[in-house]
Amino acid sequence: MKFDESFWDERYRQHGSVWSRNPNPNLLAEAAGLRPGSALDVGSGEGADAIWLARQGWRVTAVDISSVALGRAAERASQDAEAAGRITWAHNDLTASPPPGGTFDLVSAQFMHLPLAQRTELYHRLAASVAPGGTLLIVGHHPSDLEAGIRRPSEPGLLFTPEEIAAGLDPDEWEIDVCEARRRSVPDADGGSVTVTDSVLRAHRRAPRP
Ligand SMILES: C[S@@+](CC[C@H](N)C(=O)[O-])C[C@H]1O[C@@H](n2cnc3c(N)ncnc32)[C@H](O)[C@@H]1O
């Protein structure tokens, strides 16, 4: 498999910091109003989202395939003992062992880009791991970014629209809260800025009727 553990470990080893140390803006926008409970951070990378969630009071399970990323994330979290105490770091390939069903009040997957068949299967399992009443938040690069003049994975199927993700959710079980192609400005390689588009899908799982 192309995007396996050694691919990601190597990617993280090449740089002291791969991503910004800030939590993802769409996590802040979509999770700030939720009541904290248990959260799954899918592909937690260098830990900025997990740390932010823990600081909001969430008990976070942060899963990543890369032990290099997890080590870095745990080291960063250790600077805030209270937040660190709310995070469990888990080294796991989620395509091989998906999370348990009906467990989390929030499942957040930020920029988890996989080949289409694997993504469809994983997102299906992620939706199943949301507890009744809980929230699924999926954010990724929108396919229109391939024309934005910024580096993006170009293999067909890796990028997705929010509508594609929404179509995979059973309307009897899910209410779609946000399904949006959301634009934002990011720095480009020449010190200027470029507008990119994120696919943002937030949905909540209906609680069973009494
Ligand atoms: C593009 S990065 C995003 C990191 C983080 N969510 C963020 O937005 O900063 C994707 C992350 O998913 C992890 N990952 C990729 N495939 C995975 C898998 N099968 N199981 C668990 N984590 C995976 C990678 O190691 C990487 O840290």
mmCIF file of all heavy atoms in Angstrom, residues 3 8 12 19 24 42-45 49 63-66 69 92-95 110-112 114, ligand 1:
data_model
loop_
_atom_site.group_PDB
_atom_site.id
_atom_site.type_symbol
_atom_site.label_atom_id
_atom_site.label_comp_id
_atom_site.label_asym_id
_atom_site.label_seq_id
_atom_site.Cartn_x
_atom_site.Cartn_y
_atom_site.Cartn_z
ATOM 1 N N PHE A 3 0.241 4.526 0.936
ATOM 2 C CA PHE A 3 0.228 5.414 2.104
ATOM 3 C C PHE A 3 0.223 4.579 3.388
ATOM 4 O O PHE A 3 -0.709 4.632 4.180
ATOM 5 C CB PHE A 3 -0.984 6.351 2.035
ATOM 6 C CG PHE A 3 -1.003 7.187 0.778
ATOM 7 C CD1 PHE A 3 -1.911 6.942 -0.237
ATOM 8 C CD2 PHE A 3 -0.070 8.206 0.611
ATOM 9 C CE1 PHE A 3 -1.909 7.693 -1.398
ATOM 10 C CE2 PHE A 3 -0.056 8.966 -0.551
ATOM 11 C CZ PHE A 3 -0.980 8.714 -1.561
ATOM 12 N N TRP A 8 4.259 7.323 6.084
ATOM 13 C CA TRP A 8 3.957 8.423 7.007
ATOM 14 C C TRP A 8 5.102 8.667 7.988
ATOM 15 O O TRP A 8 5.438 9.822 8.272
ATOM 16 C CB TRP A 8 2.636 8.162 7.737
ATOM 17 C CG TRP A 8 1.463 8.425 6.836
ATOM 18 C CD1 TRP A 8 0.645 7.511 6.238
ATOM 19 C CD2 TRP A 8 1.013 9.719 6.392
ATOM 20 N NE1 TRP A 8 -0.285 8.144 5.455
ATOM 21 C CE2 TRP A 8 -0.099 9.499 5.533
ATOM 22 C CE3 TRP A 8 1.428 11.026 6.622
ATOM 23 C CZ2 TRP A 8 -0.787 10.550 4.917
ATOM 24 C CZ3 TRP A 8 0.733 12.079 6.011
ATOM 25 C CH2 TRP A 8 -0.352 11.829 5.175
ATOM 26 N N TYR A 12 7.060 12.275 8.386
ATOM 27 C CA TYR A 12 7.243 13.026 9.645
ATOM 28 C C TYR A 12 8.718 13.173 10.014
ATOM 29 O O TYR A 12 9.128 14.198 10.552
ATOM 30 C CB TYR A 12 6.452 12.361 10.784
ATOM 31 C CG TYR A 12 4.969 12.667 10.686
ATOM 32 C CD1 TYR A 12 4.053 11.695 10.313
ATOM 33 C CD2 TYR A 12 4.477 13.941 10.949
ATOM 34 C CE1 TYR A 12 2.690 11.973 10.196
ATOM 35 C CE2 TYR A 12 3.129 14.241 10.837
ATOM 36 C CZ TYR A 12 2.237 13.257 10.464
ATOM 37 O OH TYR A 12 0.912 13.565 10.348
ATOM 38 N N TRP A 19 2.883 19.933 9.965
ATOM 39 C CA TRP A 19 1.677 20.758 9.902
ATOM 40 C C TRP A 19 1.848 21.962 10.816
ATOM 41 O O TRP A 19 2.770 21.996 11.639
ATOM 42 C CB TRP A 19 0.444 19.948 10.346
ATOM 43 C CG TRP A 19 0.424 18.560 9.786
ATOM 44 C CD1 TRP A 19 0.522 17.406 10.493
ATOM 45 C CD2 TRP A 19 0.313 18.156 8.399
ATOM 46 N NE1 TRP A 19 0.480 16.310 9.646
ATOM 47 C CE2 TRP A 19 0.357 16.746 8.369
ATOM 48 C CE3 TRP A 19 0.186 18.851 7.209
ATOM 49 C CZ2 TRP A 19 0.277 16.021 7.180
ATOM 50 C CZ3 TRP A 19 0.107 18.126 6.017
ATOM 51 C CH2 TRP A 19 0.150 16.738 6.011
ATOM 52 N N ASN A 24 -7.081 22.611 13.466
ATOM 53 C CA ASN A 24 -7.713 22.905 12.177
ATOM 54 C C ASN A 24 -8.884 23.883 12.356
ATOM 55 O O ASN A 24 -9.715 23.690 13.238
ATOM 56 C CB ASN A 24 -8.213 21.608 11.545
ATOM 57 C CG ASN A 24 -7.090 20.863 10.841
ATOM 58 O OD1 ASN A 24 -6.496 21.380 9.907
ATOM 59 N ND2 ASN A 24 -6.780 19.664 11.317
ATOM 60 N N VAL A 42 -9.164 11.132 14.302
ATOM 61 C CA VAL A 42 -8.766 10.118 13.308
ATOM 62 C C VAL A 42 -7.565 10.620 12.503
ATOM 63 O O VAL A 42 -7.666 11.642 11.831
ATOM 64 C CB VAL A 42 -9.950 9.864 12.344
ATOM 65 C CG1 VAL A 42 -9.557 8.893 11.248
ATOM 66 C CG2 VAL A 42 -11.160 9.368 13.106
ATOM 67 N N GLY A 43 -6.443 9.941 12.585
ATOM 68 C CA GLY A 43 -5.242 10.424 11.892
ATOM 69 C C GLY A 43 -4.798 11.711 12.549
ATOM 70 O O GLY A 43 -4.789 12.778 11.944
ATOM 71 N N SER A 44 -4.424 11.602 13.827
ATOM 72 C CA SER A 44 -4.247 12.779 14.694
ATOM 73 C C SER A 44 -2.966 13.549 14.419
ATOM 74 O O SER A 44 -2.776 14.637 14.957
ATOM 75 C CB SER A 44 -4.306 12.348 16.161
ATOM 76 O OG SER A 44 -3.464 11.226 16.383
ATOM 77 N N GLY A 45 -2.062 12.996 13.595
ATOM 78 C CA GLY A 45 -0.871 13.736 13.173
ATOM 79 C C GLY A 45 -0.058 14.237 14.363
ATOM 80 O O GLY A 45 0.226 13.474 15.305
ATOM 81 N N ASP A 49 -5.098 19.092 17.049
ATOM 82 C CA ASP A 49 -6.555 18.979 17.247
ATOM 83 C C ASP A 49 -6.868 18.268 18.567
ATOM 84 O O ASP A 49 -7.755 18.694 19.318
ATOM 85 C CB ASP A 49 -7.204 18.189 16.099
ATOM 86 C CG ASP A 49 -7.310 18.992 14.815
ATOM 87 O OD1 ASP A 49 -6.867 20.158 14.798
ATOM 88 O OD2 ASP A 49 -7.828 18.446 13.823
ATOM 89 N N VAL A 63 -5.761 8.681 17.280
ATOM 90 C CA VAL A 63 -5.222 7.495 16.595
ATOM 91 C C VAL A 63 -4.423 7.909 15.374
ATOM 92 O O VAL A 63 -4.884 8.732 14.577
ATOM 93 C CB VAL A 63 -6.380 6.574 16.138
ATOM 94 C CG1 VAL A 63 -5.820 5.325 15.466
ATOM 95 C CG2 VAL A 63 -7.258 6.185 17.313
ATOM 96 N N ASP A 64 -3.255 7.311 15.234
ATOM 97 C CA ASP A 64 -2.476 7.556 14.006
ATOM 98 C C ASP A 64 -1.664 6.319 13.665
ATOM 99 O O ASP A 64 -1.270 5.546 14.543
ATOM 100 C CB ASP A 64 -1.549 8.767 14.168
ATOM 101 C CG ASP A 64 -1.221 9.397 12.828
ATOM 102 O OD1 ASP A 64 -0.377 8.837 12.086
ATOM 103 O OD2 ASP A 64 -1.830 10.454 12.494
ATOM 104 N N ILE A 65 -1.414 6.159 12.375
ATOM 105 C CA ILE A 65 -0.632 5.014 11.887
ATOM 106 C C ILE A 65 0.861 5.236 12.111
ATOM 107 O O ILE A 65 1.641 4.286 12.096
ATOM 108 C CB ILE A 65 -0.920 4.787 10.377
ATOM 109 C CG1 ILE A 65 -0.536 3.389 9.938
ATOM 110 C CG2 ILE A 65 -0.261 5.836 9.513
ATOM 111 C CD1 ILE A 65 -0.994 3.027 8.526
ATOM 112 N N SER A 66 1.257 6.508 12.336
ATOM 113 C CA SER A 66 2.676 6.839 12.451
ATOM 114 C C SER A 66 3.100 6.987 13.907
ATOM 115 O O SER A 66 2.636 7.898 14.614
ATOM 116 C CB SER A 66 2.973 8.149 11.697
ATOM 117 O OG SER A 66 4.248 8.634 12.062
ATOM 118 N N ALA A 69 4.710 10.465 14.402
ATOM 119 C CA ALA A 69 3.749 11.555 14.655
ATOM 120 C C ALA A 69 3.215 11.476 16.086
ATOM 121 O O ALA A 69 3.119 12.499 16.779
ATOM 122 C CB ALA A 69 2.587 11.458 13.663
ATOM 123 N N ASN A 92 -2.268 2.860 15.513
ATOM 124 C CA ASN A 92 -3.183 1.910 14.892
ATOM 125 C C ASN A 92 -3.378 2.253 13.419
ATOM 126 O O ASN A 92 -3.451 3.428 13.069
ATOM 127 C CB ASN A 92 -4.531 2.001 15.625
ATOM 128 C CG ASN A 92 -5.387 0.783 15.406
ATOM 129 O OD1 ASN A 92 -4.985 -0.140 14.690
ATOM 130 N ND2 ASN A 92 -6.556 0.782 15.982
ATOM 131 N N ASP A 93 -3.490 1.236 12.602
ATOM 132 C CA ASP A 93 -3.910 1.420 11.205
ATOM 133 C C ASP A 93 -5.430 1.264 11.191
ATOM 134 O O ASP A 93 -5.949 0.153 11.325
ATOM 135 C CB ASP A 93 -3.239 0.368 10.325
ATOM 136 C CG ASP A 93 -3.721 0.436 8.872
ATOM 137 O OD1 ASP A 93 -4.669 1.199 8.578
ATOM 138 O OD2 ASP A 93 -3.150 -0.281 8.039
ATOM 139 N N LEU A 94 -6.120 2.368 11.025
ATOM 140 C CA LEU A 94 -7.589 2.335 11.137
ATOM 141 C C LEU A 94 -8.249 1.578 9.991
ATOM 142 O O LEU A 94 -9.398 1.152 10.129
ATOM 143 C CB LEU A 94 -8.128 3.761 11.216
ATOM 144 C CG LEU A 94 -7.973 4.397 12.595
ATOM 145 C CD1 LEU A 94 -8.064 5.909 12.497
ATOM 146 C CD2 LEU A 94 -9.005 3.862 13.569
ATOM 147 N N THR A 95 -7.545 1.403 8.890
ATOM 148 C CA THR A 95 -8.152 0.622 7.807
ATOM 149 C C THR A 95 -8.122 -0.870 8.148
ATOM 150 O O THR A 95 -8.948 -1.632 7.665
ATOM 151 C CB THR A 95 -7.442 0.847 6.448
ATOM 152 O OG1 THR A 95 -6.083 0.420 6.558
ATOM 153 C CG2 THR A 95 -7.483 2.294 6.035
ATOM 154 N N GLN A 110 -9.835 14.814 10.006
ATOM 155 C CA GLN A 110 -9.386 16.014 9.305
ATOM 156 C C GLN A 110 -8.281 15.645 8.326
ATOM 157 O O GLN A 110 -7.198 15.229 8.721
ATOM 158 C CB GLN A 110 -8.845 17.043 10.317
ATOM 159 C CG GLN A 110 -9.818 17.401 11.430
ATOM 160 C CD GLN A 110 -10.748 18.548 11.056
ATOM 161 O OE1 GLN A 110 -10.406 19.410 10.236
ATOM 162 N NE2 GLN A 110 -11.916 18.571 11.675
ATOM 163 N N PHE A 111 -8.589 15.781 7.050
ATOM 164 C CA PHE A 111 -7.617 15.556 5.976
ATOM 165 C C PHE A 111 -7.082 14.120 5.972
ATOM 166 O O PHE A 111 -5.894 13.884 5.784
ATOM 167 C CB PHE A 111 -6.486 16.601 6.042
ATOM 168 C CG PHE A 111 -7.034 17.999 6.002
ATOM 169 C CD1 PHE A 111 -7.085 18.794 7.149
ATOM 170 C CD2 PHE A 111 -7.570 18.494 4.829
ATOM 171 C CE1 PHE A 111 -7.647 20.056 7.117
ATOM 172 C CE2 PHE A 111 -8.131 19.766 4.786
ATOM 173 C CZ PHE A 111 -8.166 20.546 5.933
ATOM 174 N N MET A 112 -8.000 13.196 6.165
ATOM 175 C CA MET A 112 -7.670 11.767 6.094
ATOM 176 C C MET A 112 -7.994 11.320 4.667
ATOM 177 O O MET A 112 -9.141 10.971 4.360
ATOM 178 C CB MET A 112 -8.539 11.045 7.118
ATOM 179 C CG MET A 112 -8.266 9.592 7.227
ATOM 180 S SD MET A 112 -6.740 9.365 8.125
ATOM 181 C CE MET A 112 -6.726 7.613 8.200
ATOM 182 N N LEU A 114 -7.592 8.903 1.578
ATOM 183 C CA LEU A 114 -7.232 7.522 1.245
ATOM 184 C C LEU A 114 -7.776 7.210 -0.148
ATOM 185 O O LEU A 114 -8.715 7.865 -0.606
ATOM 186 C CB LEU A 114 -7.894 6.557 2.236
ATOM 187 C CG LEU A 114 -7.387 6.566 3.684
ATOM 188 C CD1 LEU A 114 -8.333 5.757 4.562
ATOM 189 C CD2 LEU A 114 -5.979 6.010 3.757
HETATM 190 C C1 LIG B 1 -2.818 14.688 6.137
HETATM 191 S S1 LIG B 1 -2.405 14.094 7.720
HETATM 192 C C2 LIG B 1 -3.539 15.009 8.762
HETATM 193 C C3 LIG B 1 -3.097 15.086 10.209
HETATM 194 C C4 LIG B 1 -4.061 15.852 11.120
HETATM 195 N N1 LIG B 1 -5.394 15.296 11.109
HETATM 196 C C5 LIG B 1 -4.113 17.306 10.721
HETATM 197 O O1 LIG B 1 -5.102 17.724 10.098
HETATM 198 O O2 LIG B 1 -3.136 18.045 11.000
HETATM 199 C C6 LIG B 1 -3.111 12.462 7.762
HETATM 200 C C7 LIG B 1 -2.749 11.682 9.014
HETATM 201 O O3 LIG B 1 -3.424 10.427 8.987
HETATM 202 C C8 LIG B 1 -2.525 9.409 9.396
HETATM 203 N N2 LIG B 1 -2.973 8.162 8.756
HETATM 204 C C9 LIG B 1 -2.907 7.852 7.432
HETATM 205 N N3 LIG B 1 -3.409 6.633 7.207
HETATM 206 C C10 LIG B 1 -3.818 6.158 8.417
HETATM 207 C C11 LIG B 1 -4.434 4.936 8.838
HETATM 208 N N4 LIG B 1 -4.685 3.966 7.967
HETATM 209 N N5 LIG B 1 -4.731 4.776 10.158
HETATM 210 C C12 LIG B 1 -4.447 5.769 11.046
HETATM 211 N N6 LIG B 1 -3.863 6.940 10.701
HETATM 212 C C13 LIG B 1 -3.562 7.140 9.407
HETATM 213 C C14 LIG B 1 -1.157 9.889 8.932
HETATM 214 O O4 LIG B 1 -0.081 9.340 9.644
HETATM 215 C C15 LIG B 1 -1.273 11.398 9.152
HETATM 216 O O5 LIG B 1 -0.814 11.763 10.429
#
